[in-house]
């Protein structure tokens, strides 16, 4: 089951659960995987930034990979984040992932790249090293990475490297970028890429209207993302937006850089999906005020969802 | 009427209206000033970043200043953005503003500052050059300026320079920063600063709960900001949040870096507050898709407001 | 006398002299202009970053422009830095400069540009607004501006805008970029651009060998830059490098970001070219240790020059 | 043999040799270690940025550590770079290093840190996790890391964490920072830290005059750094500067960001210290022009050294 341009729906960026002491909590990882699938995930993405991948040892990454692949057991495609400062480590993890049954790999540009020519050269290097049969998700996330892709650069990359089948779109602002990519595919008669949006889904209804195929993000209520996509596909756009807007206060809250991961893990913990909200050091922690504030926001969400039925 | 630590409520960051050809539109500036005051603004802030101040000539800045001061006619305090790469220009505009009856000046750190010692030295230079009788609003906006203030640095600045009477708080994430500042005032028994929040008000209810005194931002529906502050002060916090949440999809939309100003001006135009949504070049423009999207969001807001009564 | 692709030699980036009190010192500006011409400058560039242009009022910029144009009196071409956050101010100063007899204008990209598509759009906007008859020098200085140009982007800009006749090349590292640009001109049979190098001339011999036409920089001993270019043209490359290497300790010293301008002005003061080394606030100052260190470096230069004859 | 405040001289930042195919070349690592010691290194620093540490697997890092420790066999202190996005990996490598006989560990701040309070909290976290008996070298390298330390922040860190015994000083410009640190130690009567300078030694004579104790850098002619330090200590400062200036064209060349490592490894290869100049992908490569240019610069160095005797 390899990833291709037709991928749609919600690929949940999986958190990596730890015990309060910082060790991997594989039992929680199983529980979390079940939780994501039960909420309607069309796919999973593991070992991404929000999965604290840079804080895992290679052995731990392998363990996470093996655990999730076994639990998913082929029910949905699994994308594996393999970004790494070194090419050989990137390739090694990719090969391990594909051998374990992954659907593809996700690659963010290294933070040091400055020109778009460097960006293009980087993906050329990586795609060549991986081999053309490994499907690649390109992560376009300038706010976090400091690397920018203009539309012509993306179009050039998609044209040169057919193995790039999906764009994880999290530029900000990025709405017109999405429209331009879709218009370009039509005008130039190029293949239609799978575009899943990130940034916690902060603009999901607008992005679906502009041609996104779904979301790849880790918002702690993935069932909402699934429902919004479903309603959008069914043509019930206002209803989709009603559901989305009910969640927006919490999405906004979870999208805070850095702190957001601690909030996300705490919500997952409260929802019973993981045992501990521990974020590996150095990392953010919620204090008592943060916790009370979150309690208030979650309660407001419940009330609002009850209102809209 | 000089600004002091007790300032509260909503200081609207004023847009600067231009004709479609790019010239200053002073008639619209009068209309806009009236609009802001009619919506309940407790103060105005002119010549800020969102007022396109760096694209005005000194003569145009003087014209804007004189026009607004005449229209406001002392009804509310007016803060004047005076940030400038050169100290002498900053001081000259400050003196002109204070002579014209401004309540104080707003100063953002120059983008090149790297250490917090440099930040402190910069404000020392500026405050000394202005003289201790000119009230200063410190703008803490790392996302746009790339200059960071930690809580100890802010505390040191507030202690050393009593003329800094207000913090325009737009760090992101910034909620715990706000709580720490307020806790520090109590623990160290220092003066309570006026803290108005920026970032389009994106976290206004949470920030009011953590001790903010209001907002200094340019969201195109300032009456909502006013109402949320009023409800908060009246202890009706859930109601405040209901009103706020109705606007959140549009606030989120307007908070997009760069593009947000074009959206804001277009809403102001549609609401009849200015004649043209023109943003000076180089600057963003809304295309037909953006316009239709905005129409949809504004219609949804109207419906939602009707629902909550 | 308009600038064109054939410009060669040393265009000195002129400092802007101030009195110790900060006012413009026009008498020193005349003296400095004479000094630069006496040292063999093939051209002058005024109102650049190192000329503290952002700290001048529009009136002061006009004064500097008029003073230098009158003093130069057509003996060498004068390039005027016109970079500005607003397009209309940029155009206005350009028109004033060209009317006063300037040879062309220099334009750096605004710091906020992120993608190379944005860079291209910016120069399209600017070139169109200026009109095709205004010669443009493109400043490529990522370290100071945070905006990057890859070789394909530069080639595209040069192809689309024939009025861009010169590249001020100060990328770092930039040696292979220079070689690639020159190779590209030959391979694609495009016009040969004038390329003058910046960065204080830190790599001047290597850059001349790779095809640079000279330097556009403000090193306080411009006669060395002139001599190195002359020797290079005469085929005496080792001798050129001997002369250059004698100055390298001081060039390195003057290339320090920020501080370098204070060092440069102090050398110019000691050499009698200006009356005061004042840098406008906020700006760097040399302390006693810095002064003594500079004295030592200047004395070593004199001794070394005596050795090499 | 633990590192302490009295460390002096030249600690060479060791390259990590690879075969042309990219594998670790441990025979070359032995040869390189011998080379550095034969040139007079007072210490070695391994697994730093210039040692391509982020491109090594943990197993490879362990191999490099073991190989160097065995070869050095206690003759000089060895500092081990342990910077890592995750605290647990940082601590694990530190423990492994200290158990293997390392003299201390070098820690750079993670690139994401924004305020100096965050910087202080980070070192607090790390020093506590390491335990007070592990000597720490603090790397202050804003150009590469984007994290800034002001003098007060450094002083606070040195006061709070006695285990920080050495500063790797590579701020730029950094001369007055060095003077301020030394003056502060005297004025406040605090312990005198060991300060070794980086940046390829680009300002070594000036930095020694301002109180540096030596250099920690990887310039491919470490014997020059050693000789300059020796001459400085012997009071022969002009002679020290003569020797240094002869190398300055090549130091400048090697200090080019990114590309510099490829130049450094090529010089080491030509000098017989390693078998291949391979830099792991993604990384820079020298082309034919670069090679010829380097040949010229090395030949000029030889001639100049012959001249000065």
């Amino acid at each position: 089951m390899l990833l291709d341009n037709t991928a749609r729906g919600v690929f949940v960026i999986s958190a990596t659960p730890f015990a309060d002491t910082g060790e991997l909590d594989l039992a929680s990882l199983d529980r979390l995987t079940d939780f994501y699938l039960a909420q309607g995930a069309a796919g999973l993405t593991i070992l991404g930034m929000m999965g604290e991948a840079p804080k895992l040892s290679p052995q731990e990454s392998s363990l996470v990979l093996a655990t999730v692949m076994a639990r998913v057991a082929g029910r949905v495609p699994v994308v594996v984040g393999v970004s790494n400062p070194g090419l050989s480590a990137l390739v090694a993890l990719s090969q391990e992932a594909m051998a374990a049954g992954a659907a593809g790999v996700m690659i963010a540009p290294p933070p040091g790249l400055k020109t778009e020519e460097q960006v293009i050269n980087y993906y050329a290097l990586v795609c060549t090293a991986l081999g053309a049969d490994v499907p690649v998700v390109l992560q376009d996330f300038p706010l976090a990475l400091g690397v920018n892709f203009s539309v012509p650069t993306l179009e050039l990359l998609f044209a040169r490297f057919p193995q790039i089948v999906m764009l994880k779109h999290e530029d900000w602002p990025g709405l017109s970028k999405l429209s331009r990519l879709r218009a370009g595919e039509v005008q130039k008669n190029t293949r239609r890429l799978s575009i899943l949006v990130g940034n916690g889904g902060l603009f999901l209804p607008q992005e679906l209207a502009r041609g996104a195929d779904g979301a790849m993000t880790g918002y702690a209520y993935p069932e909402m993302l699934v429902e919004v996509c479903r309603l959008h596909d069914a043509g019930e756009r206002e209803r989709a937006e009603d559901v989305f807007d009910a969640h927006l206060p919490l999405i906004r809250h979870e999208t805070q850089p850095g702190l957001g991961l601690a909030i996300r893990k705490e919500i997952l913990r409260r929802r019973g999906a993981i045992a501990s909200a521990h974020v590996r050091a150095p990392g953010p922690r919620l204090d008592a005020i943060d916790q009370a504030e979150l309690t208030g926001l979650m309660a407001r969400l419940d009330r609002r969802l009850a209102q809209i039925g």
Side-chain angles (χ1 to χ4, degrees), chain A residues 5-307:
Chain A
N5 293 347
T6 65
R8 301 179 53 77
V10 177
F11 280 59
V12 183
I13 301 272
S14 178
T16 301
F18 300 108
D20 286 340
T21 50
E23 287 97 53
L24 272 182
D25 174 358
L26 296 179
S28 280
L29 184 55
D30 276 344
R31 201 166 9 137
L32 183 64
T33 301
D34 293 345
F35 171 82
Y36 288 144
L37 295 189
Q39 306 300 331
L44 289 186
T45 302
I46 60 172
L47 300 177
M49 275 185 267
M50 288 308 257
E52 300 171 67
K55 295 181 184 168
L56 301 180
S57 71
Q59 292 84 343
E60 289 173 326
S61 295
S62 296
L63 257 176
V64 168
L65 172 63
T67 303
V68 171
M69 295 312 297
R71 193 71 174 191
V72 169
R75 286 176 290 168
V76 298
V78 176
V79 173
V80 180
V82 297
S83 304
N84 197 289
L87 179 64
S88 54
L90 183 155
V91 170
L93 180 57
S94 299
Q95 290 171 340
E96 183 183 342
M98 298 312 291
V105 298
M106 181 164 72
I107 300 174
L113 300 182
K114 297 200 168 159
T115 69
E116 293 178 77
E117 188 184 30
Q118 290 172 344
V119 167
I120 291 163
N121 290 345
Y122 179 74
Y123 280 93
L125 178 78
V126 163
C127 287
T128 305
L130 287 178
D133 53 337
V134 175
V136 168
V137 179
L138 186 155
Q139 187 174 16
D140 178 8
F141 195 8
L143 184 67
L145 299 164
V147 178
N148 295 281
F149 297 78
S150 66
V151 168
T153 294
L154 287 172
E155 290 177 339
L156 191 153
L157 284 168
F158 301 154
R160 272 185 63 186
F161 305 106
Q163 77 199 88
I164 303 180
V165 295
M166 184 187 283
L167 173 66
K168 183 175 198 304
H169 169 73
E170 36 196 345
D171 201 349
W172 181 57
L175 292 172
S176 64
K177 189 175 196 173
L178 217 163
S179 294
R180 288 182 61 203
L181 285 168
R182 286 309 188 206
E185 289 169 349
V186 173
Q187 284 155 20
K188 295 162 197 165
N189 197 24
T190 55
R191 67 187 166 118
R192 188 183 187 286
L193 218 74
S194 172
I195 302 181
L196 302 190
V197 304
N199 275 331
L202 192 64
F203 290 89
L204 182 57
Q206 288 72 34
E207 291 169 323
L208 291 172
R210 286 170 181 264
D213 297 308
M216 183 186 278
T217 191
Y219 179 53
Y221 294 81
E223 66 271 30
M224 179 277 286
L225 305 170
V226 171
E227 176 71 356
V228 167
C229 290
R230 190 191 66 74
L231 288 165
H232 177 85
D233 286 354
E236 300 184 55
R237 298 199 177 182
E238 292 296 326
R239 172 71 189 166
E241 216 153 336
D242 290 344
V243 172
F244 176 83
D245 287 355
H247 281 267
L248 187 50
L250 207 42
I251 294 177
R252 167 212 57 174
H253 204 64
E254 213 188 87
T255 312
Q256 295 177 80
L259 190 66
L261 176 60
I263 296 170
R264 178 173 294 173
K265 283 188 134 178
E266 174 61 13
I267 300 175
L268 290 171
R269 190 196 65 77
R270 293 190 188 187
R271 300 191 77 194
I274 57 178
S276 161
H278 185 84
V279 174
R280 278 203 170 169
R285 293 282 177 278
L286 303 184
D287 64 17
I289 302 175
D290 300 329
Q291 292 280 5
E293 187 178 61
L294 179 59
T295 300
L297 286 164
M298 291 175 72
R300 283 187 58 81
L301 172 62
D302 288 341
R303 285 201 295 276
R304 182 79 191 115
L305 290 177
Q307 281 173 16

